[in-house]
Every structure is written in C-alpha cells, then in structure tokens.
Amino acid sequence: MEIMAEAPATIANVAVGFDILGFAFPVLKDRVWISKTDGDIELREIVGSRLPSDPSKNTATVPLIRMKEELGLAFGFSVKLEKGIPLSSGLGGSAASAVAAVLAANELLDEPLTRRELFRYALAGEAIASGGVHGDNVAPALYGGLTMCLESTNGFDIISLPVPELHCVVIHPPQQIQTRNARKILSPTVPLSLYVRQSMRLAAFLHAVHTNDFALLRRFFEDLVIEPQRSSLIPQFSSLKSLAINCGAIGFSIAGAGPSMFSWLETEEDAHEFQEQVNNRFPECYVWASPLK
Ligand code: HSE
C-alpha cells in the first residue's frame, strides 16, 4: 500500500512575529508518497528539484528516521518526494516536505500520533535545513491557516488564529537564500526602544485579526527589526514594497528568510492590480495571488 500526503507552502514571520507567526499559502504544495519496506528509510525518487537523496540529509526523511527509532518500528519506509515549492525561497519548502512525510507515515500506521507529536517529528526535519529550531513554518504547514508557535519549557504550543478575509500576493524572485545564512546576519541584540515598538506591532496584529480591524492592522503591519537587516539581500525589495503600497496594500514584507516577498491586500481588485504591475515591471519574478485561507 502507498499513501500520498501533501503540505502547503507557508510564510513565516508575517512581518510582526519573527519566529512566532506563519500562514499557509496552499497555492504551492509539496507531495510525499510512502510505502513500507523491510529495510530502513529510503528516498527512492525526488521530482522537481535537486536535493540530497541521502535520507539523513533530507527534511522529508529525517522525521521518519526519528519516528522509526522512537516508535521501535520493525519496518522502514520508501519515500517519493515531489517538490512543488521552490528551494531556498522563503516559502517553507523544507517544512512542507517534513509535514507531508509525517502525515503520510501516520496514515500508513493507522494514525497513532497526535498533531502535537507530528509537529515534533516534522520540526526535527525542518531543523536540519534551517540551522535552528523554529516552528513558524511547520505549524501552519501542519495546522493550516494562520498560526502562532510558542515555545516554553513544556515544548511548543501551536495556536490557530482567525484568518483575516484578505488577499495575499506572493512574489518569488530568481534567487535563493539559505535560511541559515539569513539568520547568521541578524544582530543578536535589539535596542529596548525598538523592542517596545515591535511588541506594539505584534500586539496590534493579534487584536486586529481577532476583531477584523483592518485599519489597525494597516497602521502596524510592519517589521522594524528583521526586515531592515535582510532587505538588502533582495535587489527588488524596496521597489516592490513601494509598488505594493501604491496599490493600496495593507502591508508588504519578506516571506520567512526570503528572498520571496508577500503582501496582504483588502480587495481582489487590489491584489490583481498589484500582481499585474509586478508581472509587467519585474518579468523575472514569479507572482501568485490568492485569498488567505
Ligand atoms: N523565522 C525564520 C526566519 C523562518 O526568518 O529565519 C525561516 O523560514
């Protein structure tokens, strides 16, 4: 028997919540097919991308190795991975592969694991790609929608937030950025005044999505800490941000560690207008538009 599962692209940070917030963008997906084998975990085929086929280096198979060890499984898994999400794009491809793999394996095992346990296994896969343990892509890839991922001494709490009725445009320039490199350039400290101003933005965001207050969201949808440190890595960033604001966007920022970027807009017309202008002026970029779901 072979099981297929899929997981969506995700956009981490969402401007105001570095390493905390993320949302699913199911226009793009990774897919995984899994069957049982007598041996170990093997990655028999990768479609759509050049990635390591060594199971100990691929984000889809690392969670399965951990699962086999911890659950004491007497069999292995044979895995086929189809990458629909561009590599090193900031669109959560490594998390999606890991999530699709744990969902498929859990179905093959007749669903013994809770979502919280699946999250923990998928995070082990994501960690080898990003050089740090942050669940802001894995959480929305597994739970869907808009999520908040909170780490404490008891592990992670994943909280699903109301998804605002807005439209999202995602832009992917022809460039790759390794998350681990985009993390290395970040200053380890934040001045106190900036910490306060950014905390206000996260607080305003959380209130706004619970109350559908898009005017409040618009005033505070801004990354004062990470975006200024990373935006110079993306040549098109400042022109695209100005274009988004001119098209009436609520906000525009880097998707995860970049180089992809995203914008939230209030109407479908604004989203399509922005998409069309990006297509005309930046023909080298891929652009997708979709309602948030
Ligand atoms: N929060 C992480 C970062 C997400 O921005 O480094 C990486 O996809």
Side-chain angles (χ1 to χ4, degrees):
M1 183 171 55
E2 186 171 63
I3 302 283
M4 190 281 282
E6 56 186 28
T10 49
I11 290 167
N13 302 338
V14 203
V16 295
F18 179 68
D19 278 0
I20 302 169
L21 296 173
F23 66 94
F25 189 69
V27 173
L28 303 171
K29 288 175 182 168
D30 278 2
R31 292 193 171 86
V32 165
W33 287 258
I34 289 188
S35 52
K36 286 185 190 173
T37 64
D38 292 336
D40 264 328
I41 313 296
E42 66 171 41
L43 191 48
R44 69 168 194 279
E45 192 181 349
I46 302 173
V47 181
S49 185
R50 282 207 207 143
L51 275 172
S53 60
D54 176 348
S56 67
K57 297 204 169 87
N58 189 288
T59 64
T61 36
V62 165
L64 304 180
I65 295 172
R66 171 97 43 116
M67 220 182 240
K68 177 174 160 67
E69 276 167 18
E70 289 187 9
L71 302 179
L73 301 177
F75 50 86
F77 297 112
S78 173
V79 177
K80 174 182 162 188
L81 169 64
E82 182 185 280
K83 292 295 298 177
I85 303 169
L87 288 189
S88 304
S89 61
L91 297 175
S94 45
S97 297
V99 167
V102 298
L103 287 171
N106 197 38
E107 196 177 330
L108 200 61
L109 300 174
D110 291 331
E111 314 218 330
L113 298 169
T114 62
R115 241 183 349 184
R116 208 181 152 87
E117 288 166 320
L118 293 177
F119 175 83
R120 193 170 58 76
Y121 285 117
L123 198 60
E126 163 80 324
I128 62 152
S130 75
V133 179
H134 51 88
D136 48 348
N137 287 109
V138 172
L142 184 60
Y143 287 66
L146 172 64
T147 57
M148 182 157 72
C149 181
L150 308 177
E151 189 181 5
S152 72
T153 43
N154 294 331
F156 285 90
D157 284 295
I158 313 300
I159 296 169
S160 287
L161 297 168
V163 178
E165 286 187 21
L166 292 172
H167 295 263
C168 180
V169 173
V170 172
I171 302 163
H172 173 51
Q175 183 192 351
Q176 293 191 332
I177 292 180
Q178 304 291 334
T179 300
R180 63 178 73 240
N181 296 336
R183 293 179 82 81
K184 270 191 213 143
I185 63 163
L186 298 176
S187 165
T189 57
V190 176
L192 185 61
S193 61
L194 200 52
Y195 163 76
V196 173
R197 291 173 67 211
Q198 191 61 45
S199 300
M200 286 174 188
R201 278 150 183 77
L202 178 56
F205 177 94
L206 294 174
H207 185 68
V209 298
H210 279 99
T211 56
N212 271 319
D213 187 342
F214 298 149
L216 180 70
L217 188 62
R218 185 181 283 281
R219 286 206 301 285
F220 290 97
F221 198 72
E222 198 180 10
D223 175 1
L224 304 175
V225 178
I226 307 298
E227 185 184 297
Q229 300 182 68
R230 284 179 170 170
S231 56
S232 59
L233 301 174
I234 308 166
Q236 302 90 341
F237 184 83
S238 54
S239 317
L240 280 165
K241 185 162 184 168
S242 307
L243 192 57
I245 302 306
N246 285 340
C247 289
I250 282 191
F252 178 95
S253 194
I254 301 171
S260 297
M261 294 151 271
F262 77 98
S263 183
W264 280 6
L265 301 103
E266 270 189 72
T267 66
E268 195 173 2
E269 292 72 42
D270 286 350
H272 284 152
E273 171 66 19
F274 179 45
Q275 182 181 27
E276 204 176 301
Q277 293 212 25
V278 178
N279 274 327
N280 290 340
R281 296 197 207 175
F282 299 85
E284 75 278 18
C285 295
Y286 288 93
V287 195
W288 301 277
S290 164
L292 288 175
K293 320 182 180 152

